[in-house]
PDB file of all heavy atoms in Angstrom:
ATOM      1  N   GLY A  18      75.098 121.227  92.637  1.00 89.00           N
ATOM      2  CA  GLY A  18      74.388 122.411  92.043  1.00 89.00           C
ATOM      3  C   GLY A  18      73.488 121.868  90.958  1.00 89.00           C
ATOM      4  O   GLY A  18      73.184 120.675  90.934  1.00 89.00           O
ATOM      5  N   SER A  37     101.130  82.168  81.484  1.00 55.00           N
ATOM      6  CA  SER A  37     102.121  81.245  80.835  1.00 55.00           C
ATOM      7  C   SER A  37     102.358  81.685  79.423  1.00 55.00           C
ATOM      8  O   SER A  37     101.464  82.197  78.756  1.00 55.00           O
ATOM      9  CB  SER A  37     101.562  79.803  80.890  1.00 55.00           C
ATOM     10  OG  SER A  37     100.417  79.686  80.135  1.00 55.00           O
ATOM     11  N   ASP A  38     103.543  81.503  79.006  1.00 54.00           N
ATOM     12  CA  ASP A  38     103.992  81.823  77.600  1.00 54.00           C
ATOM     13  C   ASP A  38     104.673  80.639  76.974  1.00 54.00           C
ATOM     14  O   ASP A  38     105.425  80.000  77.663  1.00 54.00           O
ATOM     15  CB  ASP A  38     104.915  83.037  77.606  1.00 54.00           C
ATOM     16  CG  ASP A  38     104.319  84.290  78.228  1.00 54.00           C
ATOM     17  OD1 ASP A  38     103.165  84.554  77.882  1.00 54.00           O
ATOM     18  OD2 ASP A  38     105.007  84.935  79.024  1.00 54.00           O
ATOM     19  N   ASN A  41     108.365  79.200  70.914  1.00 51.00           N
ATOM     20  CA  ASN A  41     108.895  78.099  70.034  1.00 51.00           C
ATOM     21  C   ASN A  41     110.257  78.374  69.432  1.00 51.00           C
ATOM     22  O   ASN A  41     110.797  77.465  68.826  1.00 51.00           O
ATOM     23  CB  ASN A  41     107.831  77.704  69.004  1.00 51.00           C
ATOM     24  CG  ASN A  41     106.619  76.985  69.636  1.00 51.00           C
ATOM     25  OD1 ASN A  41     106.807  76.267  70.595  1.00 51.00           O
ATOM     26  ND2 ASN A  41     105.547  77.232  69.055  1.00 51.00           N
ATOM     27  N   SER A  54      97.996  86.282  93.061  1.00 77.00           N
ATOM     28  CA  SER A  54      96.775  86.932  93.475  1.00 77.00           C
ATOM     29  C   SER A  54      97.026  88.270  94.117  1.00 77.00           C
ATOM     30  O   SER A  54      98.070  88.443  94.794  1.00 77.00           O
ATOM     31  CB  SER A  54      95.997  85.955  94.407  1.00 77.00           C
ATOM     32  OG  SER A  54      96.742  85.708  95.549  1.00 77.00           O
ATOM     33  N   LYS A  66      78.849 116.300  85.457  1.00 96.00           N
ATOM     34  CA  LYS A  66      77.992 117.453  85.037  1.00 96.00           C
ATOM     35  C   LYS A  66      77.049 116.933  83.950  1.00 96.00           C
ATOM     36  O   LYS A  66      77.493 116.339  82.974  1.00 96.00           O
ATOM     37  CB  LYS A  66      78.780 118.624  84.611  1.00 96.00           C
ATOM     38  CG  LYS A  66      78.007 119.802  84.057  1.00 96.00           C
ATOM     39  CD  LYS A  66      77.392 120.552  85.163  1.00 96.00           C
ATOM     40  CE  LYS A  66      76.739 121.826  84.563  1.00 96.00           C
ATOM     41  NZ  LYS A  66      75.806 122.484  85.499  1.00 96.00           N
ATOM     42  N   GLY A  73      68.942 114.957  73.954  1.00 90.00           N
ATOM     43  CA  GLY A  73      69.398 114.128  75.069  1.00 90.00           C
ATOM     44  C   GLY A  73      70.594 114.678  75.790  1.00 90.00           C
ATOM     45  O   GLY A  73      71.301 115.541  75.203  1.00 90.00           O
ATOM     46  N   LEU A  79      84.820 113.240  85.622  1.00 97.00           N
ATOM     47  CA  LEU A  79      86.258 113.098  85.948  1.00 97.00           C
ATOM     48  C   LEU A  79      86.313 112.390  87.283  1.00 97.00           C
ATOM     49  O   LEU A  79      85.651 112.804  88.225  1.00 97.00           O
ATOM     50  CB  LEU A  79      86.906 114.471  86.008  1.00 97.00           C
ATOM     51  CG  LEU A  79      88.378 114.468  86.428  1.00 97.00           C
ATOM     52  CD1 LEU A  79      89.277 113.729  85.384  1.00 97.00           C
ATOM     53  CD2 LEU A  79      88.869 115.863  86.628  1.00 97.00           C
ATOM     54  N   SER A  94     107.525  82.246  90.107  1.00 48.00           N
ATOM     55  CA  SER A  94     108.628  81.479  89.548  1.00 48.00           C
ATOM     56  C   SER A  94     108.480  81.432  88.032  1.00 48.00           C
ATOM     57  O   SER A  94     107.442  81.267  87.494  1.00 48.00           O
ATOM     58  CB  SER A  94     108.614  80.050  90.121  1.00 48.00           C
ATOM     59  OG  SER A  94     108.790  80.119  91.537  1.00 48.00           O
ATOM     60  N   ASN A 100     114.301  71.800  75.139  1.00 50.00           N
ATOM     61  CA  ASN A 100     113.987  70.413  74.778  1.00 50.00           C
ATOM     62  C   ASN A 100     115.287  69.592  74.568  1.00 50.00           C
ATOM     63  O   ASN A 100     115.232  68.391  74.592  1.00 50.00           O
ATOM     64  CB  ASN A 100     113.178  70.358  73.473  1.00 50.00           C
ATOM     65  CG  ASN A 100     111.786  70.884  73.726  1.00 50.00           C
ATOM     66  OD1 ASN A 100     111.272  70.878  74.839  1.00 50.00           O
ATOM     67  ND2 ASN A 100     111.147  71.349  72.648  1.00 50.00           N
ATOM     68  N   ASP A 101     116.438  70.241  74.439  1.00 52.00           N
ATOM     69  CA  ASP A 101     117.679  69.531  74.187  1.00 52.00           C
ATOM     70  C   ASP A 101     118.359  69.148  75.485  1.00 52.00           C
ATOM     71  O   ASP A 101     119.427  68.533  75.511  1.00 52.00           O
ATOM     72  CB  ASP A 101     118.636  70.384  73.348  1.00 52.00           C
ATOM     73  CG  ASP A 101     118.011  70.713  71.973  1.00 52.00           C
ATOM     74  OD1 ASP A 101     117.240  69.883  71.443  1.00 52.00           O
ATOM     75  OD2 ASP A 101     118.331  71.791  71.448  1.00 52.00           O
ATOM     76  N   GLU A 103     118.410  67.574  79.529  1.00 53.00           N
ATOM     77  CA  GLU A 103     117.766  66.561  80.380  1.00 53.00           C
ATOM     78  C   GLU A 103     116.906  67.231  81.421  1.00 53.00           C
ATOM     79  O   GLU A 103     117.131  68.324  81.845  1.00 53.00           O
ATOM     80  CB  GLU A 103     118.840  65.730  81.052  1.00 53.00           C
ATOM     81  CG  GLU A 103     119.680  64.898  80.091  1.00 53.00           C
ATOM     82  CD  GLU A 103     118.865  63.812  79.390  1.00 53.00           C
ATOM     83  OE1 GLU A 103     117.958  63.247  79.988  1.00 53.00           O
ATOM     84  OE2 GLU A 103     119.089  63.665  78.203  1.00 53.00           O
ATOM     85  N   TYR A 115     106.684  90.233  94.889  1.00 65.00           N
ATOM     86  CA  TYR A 115     105.897  91.381  94.414  1.00 65.00           C
ATOM     87  C   TYR A 115     105.688  92.328  95.579  1.00 65.00           C
ATOM     88  O   TYR A 115     105.212  91.993  96.592  1.00 65.00           O
ATOM     89  CB  TYR A 115     104.516  90.955  93.926  1.00 65.00           C
ATOM     90  CG  TYR A 115     104.479  90.140  92.664  1.00 65.00           C
ATOM     91  CD1 TYR A 115     103.943  88.870  92.598  1.00 65.00           C
ATOM     92  CD2 TYR A 115     104.945  90.682  91.495  1.00 65.00           C
ATOM     93  CE1 TYR A 115     103.884  88.136  91.459  1.00 65.00           C
ATOM     94  CE2 TYR A 115     104.912  89.966  90.312  1.00 65.00           C
ATOM     95  CZ  TYR A 115     104.370  88.670  90.296  1.00 65.00           C
ATOM     96  OH  TYR A 115     104.328  88.029  89.129  1.00 65.00           O
ATOM     97  N   VAL A 127      82.979 110.559  78.802  1.00 97.00           N
ATOM     98  CA  VAL A 127      81.921 111.438  78.236  1.00 97.00           C
ATOM     99  C   VAL A 127      80.843 110.450  77.696  1.00 97.00           C
ATOM    100  O   VAL A 127      81.129 109.579  76.927  1.00 97.00           O
ATOM    101  CB  VAL A 127      82.468 112.303  77.042  1.00 97.00           C
ATOM    102  CG1 VAL A 127      81.347 113.045  76.380  1.00 97.00           C
ATOM    103  CG2 VAL A 127      83.536 113.261  77.559  1.00 97.00           C
ATOM    104  N   VAL A 130      73.581 110.595  75.628  1.00 92.00           N
ATOM    105  CA  VAL A 130      72.316 109.797  75.609  1.00 92.00           C
ATOM    106  C   VAL A 130      71.350 110.471  74.708  1.00 92.00           C
ATOM    107  O   VAL A 130      71.065 111.630  74.887  1.00 92.00           O
ATOM    108  CB  VAL A 130      71.752 109.711  77.035  1.00 92.00           C
ATOM    109  CG1 VAL A 130      70.445 108.816  76.988  1.00 92.00           C
ATOM    110  CG2 VAL A 130      72.728 109.161  78.061  1.00 92.00           C
ATOM    111  N   TYR A 131      70.953 109.713  73.685  1.00 90.00           N
ATOM    112  CA  TYR A 131      69.975 110.264  72.727  1.00 90.00           C
ATOM    113  C   TYR A 131      68.565 109.796  73.096  1.00 90.00           C
ATOM    114  O   TYR A 131      68.366 108.733  73.638  1.00 90.00           O
ATOM    115  CB  TYR A 131      70.302 109.775  71.299  1.00 90.00           C
ATOM    116  CG  TYR A 131      71.625 110.360  70.749  1.00 90.00           C
ATOM    117  CD1 TYR A 131      72.801 109.663  70.927  1.00 90.00           C
ATOM    118  CD2 TYR A 131      71.584 111.551  70.106  1.00 90.00           C
ATOM    119  CE1 TYR A 131      74.014 110.200  70.491  1.00 90.00           C
ATOM    120  CE2 TYR A 131      72.841 112.132  69.646  1.00 90.00           C
ATOM    121  CZ  TYR A 131      74.011 111.375  69.873  1.00 90.00           C
ATOM    122  OH  TYR A 131      75.176 111.910  69.373  1.00 90.00           O
ATOM    123  N   GLY A 134      66.993 106.251  72.473  1.00 86.00           N
ATOM    124  CA  GLY A 134      67.420 105.075  73.228  1.00 86.00           C
ATOM    125  C   GLY A 134      68.895 104.692  72.903  1.00 86.00           C
ATOM    126  O   GLY A 134      69.306 103.627  73.295  1.00 86.00           O
ATOM    127  N   LEU A 136      72.901 105.253  73.423  1.00 93.00           N
ATOM    128  CA  LEU A 136      73.923 105.820  74.324  1.00 93.00           C
ATOM    129  C   LEU A 136      75.332 105.604  73.699  1.00 93.00           C
ATOM    130  O   LEU A 136      75.658 104.509  73.288  1.00 93.00           O
ATOM    131  CB  LEU A 136      73.906 105.080  75.669  1.00 93.00           C
ATOM    132  CG  LEU A 136      74.989 105.534  76.668  1.00 93.00           C
ATOM    133  CD1 LEU A 136      74.365 105.772  78.066  1.00 93.00           C
ATOM    134  CD2 LEU A 136      76.092 104.570  76.807  1.00 93.00           C
ATOM    135  N   ALA A 146     101.616 104.732  88.470  1.00 89.00           N
ATOM    136  CA  ALA A 146     102.467 104.207  89.534  1.00 89.00           C
ATOM    137  C   ALA A 146     103.764 103.730  88.961  1.00 89.00           C
ATOM    138  O   ALA A 146     103.938 103.485  87.750  1.00 89.00           O
ATOM    139  CB  ALA A 146     101.732 103.083  90.247  1.00 89.00           C
ATOM    140  N   GLY A 153      94.049 102.400  79.951  1.00 94.00           N
ATOM    141  CA  GLY A 153      93.102 101.799  79.052  1.00 94.00           C
ATOM    142  C   GLY A 153      92.001 102.738  78.634  1.00 94.00           C
ATOM    143  O   GLY A 153      91.827 103.785  79.264  1.00 94.00           O
ATOM    144  N   ILE A 156      85.236 102.346  74.500  1.00 96.00           N
ATOM    145  CA  ILE A 156      84.208 102.947  73.585  1.00 96.00           C
ATOM    146  C   ILE A 156      82.969 102.072  73.719  1.00 96.00           C
ATOM    147  O   ILE A 156      83.094 100.814  73.608  1.00 96.00           O
ATOM    148  CB  ILE A 156      84.717 102.959  72.118  1.00 96.00           C
ATOM    149  CG1 ILE A 156      85.982 103.801  72.004  1.00 96.00           C
ATOM    150  CG2 ILE A 156      83.613 103.506  71.208  1.00 96.00           C
ATOM    151  CD1 ILE A 156      86.641 103.748  70.623  1.00 96.00           C
ATOM    152  N   TRP A 162      65.614  99.480  73.287  1.00 79.00           N
ATOM    153  CA  TRP A 162      64.315  99.607  72.548  1.00 79.00           C
ATOM    154  C   TRP A 162      63.169  99.062  73.358  1.00 79.00           C
ATOM    155  O   TRP A 162      63.272  98.402  74.300  1.00 79.00           O
ATOM    156  CB  TRP A 162      64.433  99.032  71.206  1.00 79.00           C
ATOM    157  CG  TRP A 162      64.514  97.493  71.188  1.00 79.00           C
ATOM    158  CD1 TRP A 162      63.532  96.612  71.206  1.00 79.00           C
ATOM    159  CD2 TRP A 162      65.704  96.767  71.239  1.00 79.00           C
ATOM    160  NE1 TRP A 162      64.031  95.351  71.214  1.00 79.00           N
ATOM    161  CE2 TRP A 162      65.360  95.423  71.240  1.00 79.00           C
ATOM    162  CE3 TRP A 162      67.061  97.069  71.260  1.00 79.00           C
ATOM    163  CZ2 TRP A 162      66.353  94.427  71.308  1.00 79.00           C
ATOM    164  CZ3 TRP A 162      67.991  96.091  71.354  1.00 79.00           C
ATOM    165  CH2 TRP A 162      67.592  94.695  71.317  1.00 79.00           C
TER     166      TRP A 162
END
Side-chain angles (χ1 to χ4, degrees):
S37 65
D38 300 315
N41 287 326
S54 58
K66 175 77 174 165
L79 175 67
S94 297
N100 291 338
D101 300 328
E103 295 297 321
Y115 289 122
V127 176
V130 182
Y131 293 92
L136 177 133
I156 298 173
W162 66 92

